[in-house]
Amino acid sequence: MSTNTRWLNEVKWDEHGLVPVIAQEASTGDVLMFAWMNRDALQRTAETGEAIYWSRSRRKLWHKGEESGHVQKVLDIRIDCDNDVVLLKVEQIGGIACHTGRHSCFFQKYFADGRWEAVEPVLKDPQEIYK
């Protein structure tokens, strides 16, 4: 494990010390979720090989899957051309990334008649996941 953390200085953190993060399933290209990381979360993600985010609502680090078991194994960490968005290419353990029990958090589709509709099934009841 490298103690070199200079690479973290190249990230353009926002005024709250956060950077937006997209989690993409490496095998399918599906965008699974959007979250935030602070410096510590990104460093720990790189060190552990598992996604660790910053929960803005709970104001603490959040190891993805700590309650659900749906861990994200990080295969690749990338940053965009402006250094202000992180992309994680992950293996989604259990196939469920969303707290609603779906594969992806992006399960609602907009239709031209002005409505959003869930177009992906619930794979597991959230009450079974978060007992």
Side-chain angles (χ1 to χ4, degrees):
M1 184 173 359
S2 173
T3 56
N4 176 3
T5 59
R6 285 182 299 222
W7 62 276
L8 291 164
N9 296 334
E10 295 182 41
V11 176
K12 289 186 183 168
W13 307 98
D14 74 6
E15 65 275 10
H16 305 291
L18 302 175
V19 66
V21 182
I22 299 165
Q24 180 183 40
E25 190 170 46
S27 63
T28 64
D30 289 352
V31 174
L32 299 176
M33 55 179 275
F34 170 87
W36 296 90
M37 285 183 173
N38 63 9
R39 187 180 177 99
D40 192 28
L42 183 54
Q43 182 175 351
R44 288 184 188 204
T45 295
E47 290 172 352
T48 65
E50 294 186 355
I52 298 171
Y53 299 105
W54 175 257
S55 171
R56 294 182 306 161
S57 60
R58 293 178 271 178
R59 306 203 46 79
K60 67 175 193 164
L61 290 178
W62 156 49
H63 186 166
K64 175 68 175 157
E66 65 191 5
E67 292 178 42
S68 66
H70 300 138
V71 172
Q72 290 176 342
K73 298 282 186 185
V74 177
L75 306 178
D76 202 6
I77 301 174
R78 298 188 183 206
I79 195 163
D80 77 331
C81 57
D82 295 322
N83 290 12
D84 62 359
V85 177
V86 171
L87 173 67
L88 300 181
K89 294 194 177 205
V90 303
E91 175 190 351
Q92 180 62 60
I93 304 303
I96 296 173
C98 185
H99 74 280
T100 66
R102 291 177 172 87
H103 177 64
S104 168
C105 293
F106 296 95
F107 61 86
Q108 297 179 89
K109 180 178 176 178
Y110 173 76
F111 287 87
D113 63 2
R115 65 187 165 87
W116 294 98
E117 186 177 315
V119 294
E120 291 186 17
V122 173
L123 301 176
K124 188 170 185 179
D125 184 335
Q127 291 184 347
E128 291 178 36
I129 297 170
Y130 304 100
K131 293 179 177 136

